Every structure is written in C-alpha cells, then in structure tokens.
Amino acid sequence: MKINFTVKCADERELIATKYMPSIAPNRQLIVINSALGVKQGFYTHFATYLTNQGFTVITWDPRGIGLSSLTNVKLDDAKMRDWGQLDLTAVLDHVVNESWANWRDIWLIGHSAGGHLIGLCAHLSKINNVILIAAGTCSWHLYPKTQQPKMLVAWYVVFPFLYNTLGYIPNRLGIGHQLPKGIAIDWRNWSVSKDYLFSDSSLGPHFYSSYTGNLYAFGFSDDVSYSPKKTIHDLARRFANANTRLELFTPRQLQKNRIGHFGFFKQNNNDLWQQIVLEKLI
C-alpha cells in the first residue's frame, strides 16, 4: 500500500513524496530513498515495494524541479541543485520524525547518484546512523575516464551554457530524462568543472560530510563509466572522513549480471541484488 503526501520546506516550497507501507508486520526501520539527478521517484517503485515486502516502511520523494515537485513552467522554476540537500532532504526528514513515523536512530538513507552525494549538505545528517550510497560519486570531470572527458567538457562549456541561456532550462534528454530548471543546471555544471566539485563552492556555507560518524556503505559498479566511475565513488567516500565506511565496487559478473551500469540496480526483478547489497545491511 502506498500514499502520496506533501512536504513543506523552510522556504515554503512544497514537495510531493510517497509513503510505502509494509505488506507484513512492520519493523521499526524506515528507509528514505533519495533520487538520482533528473530521475522521478517512480523509478524506485519496484525497489521500494521489495523493501516493504521485507517489513520496511519506505519514503520516496521528488526534489524541487523534478517530477511531481516541479512547476508547470520550467522557466519559472527557481530550484537549485543545492536545495535538494540543504532544504528538501531536511524537510523530508523533519516530516518523517514530526509525524512519528520513525525515530532518528531508525531512519536509513539510501542515496542513488546525486541523491547520495548531496546528503552532506543536510544539517540533519549527524542524526542518521546508517547511509547506503548506490552508484554515488562526485562529478568532477577530471575523475572520469579519458575517453569520457572530451564530451563532458563540450557539454559543460558549450552545450549546457548555450541551452540554459537561450531556452532557460535543459531539455529532457540532456537532463537525464527530465527537463532541468536553469538553477539546477548551473549548480551541476559549475561544480563539475571545479577542481573539487561542490567542495570548491564557498557560497554553499557549512556542509556536514566530515562530521558524519555513522555507518556508510558505498557501492558502485565497474560498468558505470559515464556517470559514477570508480574514482568519483572513492572521491565521495573520502569526504566522509569520520564515518565507519565500507566501500565495494562490483563487476556485473560478480553479481551474475550481464550489465548493471548506473541505473540497472533498480530495475524490476533484481531481488538477488537487493538482498545481497542492501537487505543484508538492514537486518
């Protein structure tokens, strides 16, 4: 069973989220899934349903500018990528606790891609004991395979600036399946061409990566070369300098798969992967 609900952020922006309720006797743990950039929360339905069948309550949500949390006119949407960690995730977690759906110690965060690397911007991170990062790394262009770097530089220095300065947004195909408001595209672009990704951005104010002392499980896949290759995953994990970190990179063959890539983990009927990589950490 699932229900949609509304979350109001500190700046009055409203987000649409979904609560998946267990199909068997529930345990105390609640899982919040943070989406990848440009990916609607519905992409995680199969994974969320699997977890509810194991007794977990699951929350998925669309950050501002994406899916059900986007404005009708993308050109009028002032969403920024930084907002997803600083404002949106903070509001989602506050809602969960204020509604007495879970205590802080019983919340698990699962972040896919940008949904993982932005969690350190959330002031509540220190209250969470357990974080799982799936295919989540920083996006500095120089950490990508050399075969990927030319097209990335063309995108960041030519294509993206041209599109958001002329159209006022990034169209679906280049926004990884969803049109991106200008502010989101600018954050993503500026951080990606910086030497130290978002850690180079003094306008962000305080962040909370190095102060996190809980358990951090970081997982990646060897055939994910376009979005979160090995060096980017290691780069993100090292930012959580005081976490109890376990980092593993798998080849598809190790997991009896032909391909996993950046999105394949969450595809339907991956129960074997979900049990091995996630469920065993939760129980």
Side-chain angles (χ1 to χ4, degrees):
M1 178 180 176
K2 64 180 181 178
I3 57 169
N4 287 346
F5 62 96
T6 301
V7 175
K8 182 171 284 189
C9 300
D11 63 350
E12 301 300 316
R13 183 75 184 248
E14 292 188 343
L15 312 175
I16 303 301
T18 303
K19 181 182 181 183
Y20 293 79
M21 286 159 282
S23 56
I24 62 174
N27 57 44
R28 297 192 315 178
Q29 293 168 304
L30 179 144
I31 301 165
V32 176
I33 300 176
N34 299 338
S35 306
L37 191 150
V39 177
K40 301 175 186 178
Q41 61 176 304
F43 178 72
Y44 304 95
T45 295
H46 298 302
F47 180 54
T49 301
Y50 168 82
L51 293 172
T52 62
N53 290 338
Q54 315 305 316
F56 300 97
T57 301
V58 181
I59 305 296
T60 62
W61 56 285
D62 285 323
R64 65 185 68 199
I66 302 298
L68 298 175
S69 300
S70 60
L71 301 186
T72 302
N73 188 341
V74 65
K75 295 181 182 181
L76 299 179
D77 199 321
D78 63 355
K80 296 180 175 63
M81 195 168 166
R82 66 190 65 202
D83 297 336
W84 298 352
Q86 292 177 329
L87 295 171
D88 297 357
L89 179 56
T90 299
V92 169
L93 294 174
D94 276 335
H95 188 96
V96 165
V97 173
N98 292 340
E99 292 293 319
S100 300
W101 292 346
N103 296 315
W104 288 107
R105 67 179 178 274
D106 296 322
I107 297 173
W108 283 68
L109 283 181
I110 296 181
H112 178 211
S113 192
H117 78 235
L118 293 172
I119 64 170
L121 298 181
C122 176
H124 289 331
L125 182 60
S126 63
K127 301 177 183 179
I128 305 296
N129 289 335
N130 295 284
V131 171
I132 298 177
L133 305 180
I134 305 293
T138 56
C139 297
S140 297
W141 68 270
H142 60 90
L143 296 177
Y144 285 72
K146 292 189 183 302
T147 55
Q148 299 290 319
Q149 292 178 9
K151 70 178 182 180
M152 294 181 74
L153 291 174
V154 170
W156 296 139
Y157 283 102
V158 179
V159 179
F160 265 53
F162 173 77
L163 289 173
Y164 60 62
N165 285 322
T166 56
L167 299 179
Y169 67 98
I170 300 298
N172 293 24
R173 187 168 181 270
L174 293 177
I176 314 186
H178 195 284
Q179 56 190 15
L180 300 180
K182 183 176 181 178
I184 292 172
I186 288 175
D187 271 351
W188 188 21
R189 181 265 179 199
N190 288 349
W191 293 343
S192 295
V193 299
S194 298
K195 181 179 180 180
D196 213 20
Y197 196 55
L198 62 81
F199 302 93
S200 297
D201 190 344
S202 60
S203 71
L204 284 174
H207 48 71
F208 309 96
Y209 297 85
S210 62
S211 60
Y212 179 67
T213 58
N215 298 314
L216 181 77
Y217 305 94
F219 302 103
F221 309 102
S222 64
D223 60 336
D224 181 5
V225 296
S226 298
Y227 296 103
S228 295
K230 177 180 178 179
K231 287 184 179 180
T232 68
I233 291 174
H234 279 275
D235 187 42
L236 178 61
R238 74 180 179 87
R239 309 294 179 169
F240 297 90
N242 293 297
N244 177 26
T245 300
R246 175 181 170 184
L247 189 157
E248 292 185 85
L249 295 172
F250 296 98
T251 65
R253 185 175 181 180
Q254 284 178 286
L255 300 170
Q256 290 78 54
K257 301 292 179 182
N258 293 323
R259 175 167 173 73
I260 299 174
H262 194 62
F263 300 101
F265 177 84
F266 296 98
K267 289 185 177 179
Q268 190 173 9
N269 298 324
N270 263 344
N271 296 29
D272 52 342
L273 279 188
W274 299 336
Q275 178 175 351
Q276 181 176 347
I277 293 180
V278 173
L279 187 62
E280 291 179 359
K281 314 299 180 298
L282 296 169
I283 58 178

